Amino acid sequence: MSNHMPKKNLQVSDFGEKKLIERIAEKSKDFELNFDNNLNSYIGDDAALIDFKNNFKKEKSYLVATTDLLIQKYHFPPEMSFFQIGWKAVTVNVSDIAAMGAKPLGILVSLAIPSKLSIESFDKMIDGILEACNYYKIPLIGGDTNEGDEIIISGTALGKVQQRIAKKKHGFEIGDKVAITGQLGLAALGFELLKKENKEIIEKSIENKRISKNIVDLSIESALNPKARLDKGIILSEIASSCTDITDGLASELYELFNADKKFNKDNNLGIRIYEDKIANEPLFNEMYNLSKILNKDIFDIIFHIGEDFELLFTFSNNNENINVDELSKNLGFIIIGEINNSNRVEIKYSNGKIQKLSSKGYEHLSND
Amino acid sequence: MSNHMPKKNLQVSDFGEKKLIERIAEKSKDFELNFDNNLNSYIGDDAALIDFKNNFKKEKSYLVATTDLLIQKYHFPPEMSFFQIGWKAVTVNVSDIAAMGAKPLGILVSLAIPSKLSIESFDKMIDGILEACNYYKIPLIGGDTNEGDEIIISGTALGKVQQRIAKKKHGFEIGDKVAITGQLGLAALGFELLKKENKEIIEKSIENKRISKNIVDLSIESALNPKARLDKGIILSEIASSCTDITDGLASELYELFNADKKFNKDNNLGIRIYEDKIANEPLFNEMYNLSKILNKDIFDIIFHIGEDFELLFTFSNNNENINVDELSKNLGFIIIGEINNSNRVEIKYSNGKIQKLSSKGYEHLSND
């Protein structure tokens, strides 16, 4: 195929979600000069940072604003209750506030609801929204309801963060460590476990003690009742050099950090290296490995390419004398998985020592040749 | 019908949009005490007002936040271009900022888009969003894109307003005048004009000089390219005692003011009286009256019960010595349509002198009645 395909036949589906956002960001540049713009972020970071300029007294703060829209068919599997749907809609938005290291100010929630939905289900969805707001201590400050063919929940979370500690996707330096706030992959395993066709084999495997009931319960809990890492985000804001939340799989988010850095530092050669064995070294990993085998899934593929865990991915300087990394790591339960190097790419070092560019799509196991 | 119907069979459609929002607001009260809440508004006003507390230097300001979700089938008639769809989505959100008397800070836009939508149409929709942002001088600061069955645009507009001039739906006093910023009904007429079945009769009526081409063009322009009254909102913020934007018809918005006042002043007997002849006295009215007759519509029904004009409805004290009302009215083109009295209801005085409670059946999605 040549590069001269007629462009007019292109559909939205020919672009990924992120490419569409980039397209919007590119177009919006034409207008930016026309505003007295207080914006201190770019479209594509977890949230917008707005400078209130001369209005703050002591410490300069940013208003943090982020929006996420969830559609029943794509974001809420049929196993989710209405309560859990409401809970998740708040969680995905609060997660972006957490990724900026910000404190929550309030959330607005717009709903599209089928007119035939029972008021009982509607109430449960609202209860889920409000219980999540209560959990994260973020008040519901506004909203909108409309009739729609399917359930759609669009949230906008607002937060506040001191300017000096606001965490963007860029900002890391050579030698910085790369870490995550907890084990990845549980939620994705949970969604697999919820599928009807897997019910029997899972019950048998628990009976046979091939897997524990604990890992099954933990996975399902991670899938249905996800938690944004708001408290960890606030603690990390004091030490991290960059941060994002992991909603689309680890690989995708590593590339988010890599590309964000390139946006601001075109000529540097910063890259990210992560280690397969550091990801495979956590207490839960063996059980997750067994569980994914039973489900006929690849655990690395799940960790790298399916998200929904809402753990945070962050970088931090190893040379900060004020921080005892080992202690923090233990207290916060975070896992160091790699470091910033000068490879100018995102790469993975496999357990057998081979180093390779990390695929942004499927997990490529090392061939034996 | 009795009040003892089994509640479990109730559907969302048995409640109006506004009743659902009230239901959410009522539920959210259970949690409010749990927050260190900076909220200075209630769910149901045009926008949320958030107090940044001790952080502001000179004049205390509110952060203003509002969200509106638009669904292709219900909010975008087939005659609308993709550009106009994008424009309108920004306008409805900015209109709520205008109603608070606030200045725009930024807007976030979440999209659901069918995967088969051409990238050309997508681009035009984005152009509409960005051109509207440029028109209102409100930067696009964030967003989200998702695949959906139909086009859905959820916007969240942020603004800033000095606390002393922030305009809520309540706050008026006895004797205050009730006014609108311009002629109502044009947009609704425009949507009627756009219907295929009306094309022939309209062309003939222009030929016969029963109506002017001017009123036809003006109506269609109001429908397809609506403008939020941001500048007027900012000017009004200095003089108005309350304000809201008219999106659901005049009757519905008058009841919004009336009910907002009752929320805060349960025991007063404030009411609103408007005058039919003041609404029917504007230069455009006769032409609109003729046009609606040709379309087999009632012009008052359109004005009272169909919205989309985005004019502002506001109250102001007649006793403010610093304000020359006649001059302001002329300069801003606003129309005084009534006053606050002690009738404890919303009432209309007809041209024939009869005074009656105003029917509240405005345009409400989701409602069966």
Side-chain angles (χ1 to χ4, degrees), chain A residues 75-77 79-81 84-85 87-89 91-92 185-195 215-227 229 306-310:
Chain A
H75 300 98
F76 306 123
E79 296 81 10
M80 267 192 155
S81 70
Q84 288 163 343
I85 284 175
W87 178 283
K88 183 174 176 180
T91 295
V92 297
L186 284 167
L189 282 174
F191 285 119
E192 282 300 316
L193 288 168
L194 287 166
K195 289 181 180 164
I215 191 76
V216 170
D217 291 346
L218 195 61
S219 300
I220 291 177
E221 170 70 14
S222 300
L224 295 183
N225 300 304
K227 309 273 193 306
R229 270 55 174 189
I306 311 184
E308 309 270 322
D309 284 302
F310 299 101

Side-chain angles (χ1 to χ4, degrees), chain A residues 335-365:
Chain A
I335 307 159
I336 297 173
I337 60 168
E339 72 258 338
I340 303 299
N341 61 15
N342 56 11
S343 66
N344 205 25
R345 64 177 187 173
V346 181
E347 59 186 23
I348 178 165
K349 184 169 180 180
Y350 290 96
S351 305
N352 69 0
K354 206 165 171 183
I355 299 167
Q356 200 168 289
K357 181 171 184 272
L358 183 68
S359 164
S360 61
K361 282 181 188 155
Y363 190 71
E364 289 164 27
H365 282 272

Side-chain angles (χ1 to χ4, degrees), chain A residues 218-254:
Chain A
L218 195 61
S219 300
I220 291 177
E221 170 70 14
S222 300
L224 295 183
N225 300 304
K227 309 273 193 306
R229 270 55 174 189
L230 199 52
D231 293 341
K232 288 189 180 182
I234 290 168
I235 296 169
L236 285 177
S237 65
E238 292 286 349
I239 62 157
S241 51
S242 72
C243 186
T244 189
D245 61 329
I246 304 172
T247 50
D248 288 340
L250 180 58
S252 168
E253 307 301 347
L254 287 166

Side-chain angles (χ1 to χ4, degrees), chain A residues 113-366:
Chain A
I113 341 159
S115 61
K116 288 208 182 311
L117 186 75
S118 76
I119 195 72
E120 209 186 330
S121 304
F122 173 81
D123 281 348
K124 281 186 181 151
M125 195 165 73
I126 300 303
D127 287 343
I129 289 171
L130 291 170
E131 284 285 358
C133 287
N134 196 41
Y135 178 79
Y136 300 118
K137 300 270 176 282
I138 186 170
L140 179 70
I141 59 171
D144 187 27
T145 64
N146 291 275
E147 185 179 337
D149 291 342
E150 52 186 338
I151 293 176
I152 290 179
I153 311 186
S154 174
T156 300
L158 304 175
K160 200 169 119 178
V161 65
Q162 289 167 32
Q163 295 197 4
R164 67 172 178 87
I165 59 169
K167 283 296 147 297
K168 304 177 183 181
K169 286 183 180 172
H170 65 286
F172 48 81
E173 286 173 17
I174 189 129
D176 281 9
K177 296 289 179 193
V178 177
I180 51 180
T181 48
Q183 180 64 53
L184 302 179
L186 284 167
L189 282 174
F191 285 119
E192 282 300 316
L193 288 168
L194 287 166
K195 289 181 180 164
K196 268 184 199 151
E197 62 263 34
N198 289 327
K199 209 180 164 193
E200 205 179 326
I201 178 107
I202 290 304
E203 280 173 5
K204 267 192 190 160
S205 302
I206 295 174
E207 252 173 63
N208 302 343
K209 306 205 170 169
R210 281 186 67 196
I211 49 167
S212 70
K213 193 167 177 305
N214 178 49
I215 191 76
V216 170
D217 291 346
L218 195 61
S219 300
I220 291 177
E221 170 70 14
S222 300
L224 295 183
N225 300 304
K227 309 273 193 306
R229 270 55 174 189
L230 199 52
D231 293 341
K232 288 189 180 182
I234 290 168
I235 296 169
L236 285 177
S237 65
E238 292 286 349
I239 62 157
S241 51
S242 72
C243 186
T244 189
D245 61 329
I246 304 172
T247 50
D248 288 340
L250 180 58
S252 168
E253 307 301 347
L254 287 166
Y255 275 98
E256 284 290 303
L257 297 193
F258 177 76
N259 291 326
D261 175 65
K262 288 288 167 282
K263 230 180 262 250
F264 293 88
N265 309 295
K266 267 183 190 141
D267 300 326
N268 76 16
N269 57 0
L270 290 190
I272 304 174
R273 178 185 292 178
I274 56 160
Y275 298 86
E276 192 186 46
D277 57 5
K278 292 196 175 173
I279 290 163
N281 198 26
E282 286 306 301
L284 286 174
F285 184 83
N286 283 343
E287 279 211 87
M288 290 171 68
Y289 180 84
N290 291 339
L291 182 53
S292 59
K293 268 208 146 171
I294 292 166
L295 294 165
N296 219 3
K297 296 279 166 186
D298 182 327
I299 186 63
F300 283 108
D301 204 39
I302 282 179
I303 289 174
F304 278 102
H305 302 296
I306 311 184
E308 309 270 322
D309 284 302
F310 299 101
E311 295 291 352
L312 301 174
L313 167 67
F314 63 100
T315 57
F316 65 95
S317 166
N318 219 6
N319 301 321
N320 193 329
E321 286 168 9
N322 300 321
I323 297 161
N324 183 332
V325 172
D326 288 342
E327 200 173 299
L328 252 178
S329 159
K330 221 176 92 184
N331 289 345
L332 291 175
F334 70 63
I335 307 159
I336 297 173
I337 60 168
E339 72 258 338
I340 303 299
N341 61 15
N342 56 11
S343 66
N344 205 25
R345 64 177 187 173
V346 181
E347 59 186 23
I348 178 165
K349 184 169 180 180
Y350 290 96
S351 305
N352 69 0
K354 206 165 171 183
I355 299 167
Q356 200 168 289
K357 181 171 184 272
L358 183 68
S359 164
S360 61
K361 282 181 188 155
Y363 190 71
E364 289 164 27
H365 282 272
L366 209 54

Side-chain angles (χ1 to χ4, degrees), chain B residues 55-70:
Chain B
N55 275 321
F56 283 100
K57 220 195 236 165
K58 291 176 212 162
E59 286 196 277
K60 281 202 164 196
S61 291
Y62 286 130
L63 166 67
V64 182
T66 176
T67 185
D68 260 312
L69 181 142
L70 301 183

Side-chain angles (χ1 to χ4, degrees), chain B residues 266-315:
Chain B
K266 269 184 189 142
D267 300 326
N268 76 16
N269 57 0
L270 290 190
I272 304 174
R273 177 185 292 179
I274 56 160
Y275 297 86
E276 191 186 48
D277 58 5
K278 292 195 176 174
I279 289 163
N281 198 26
E282 286 306 300
L284 285 174
F285 185 82
N286 283 344
E287 279 211 87
M288 290 172 66
Y289 180 84
N290 291 339
L291 183 52
S292 60
K293 268 208 146 170
I294 291 165
L295 293 166
N296 218 4
K297 295 279 167 187
D298 180 329
I299 185 64
F300 282 108
D301 202 41
I302 283 179
I303 288 174
F304 279 104
H305 302 299
I306 310 184
E308 308 271 323
D309 284 302
F310 299 103
E311 295 290 352
L312 301 173
L313 168 67
F314 62 101
T315 57

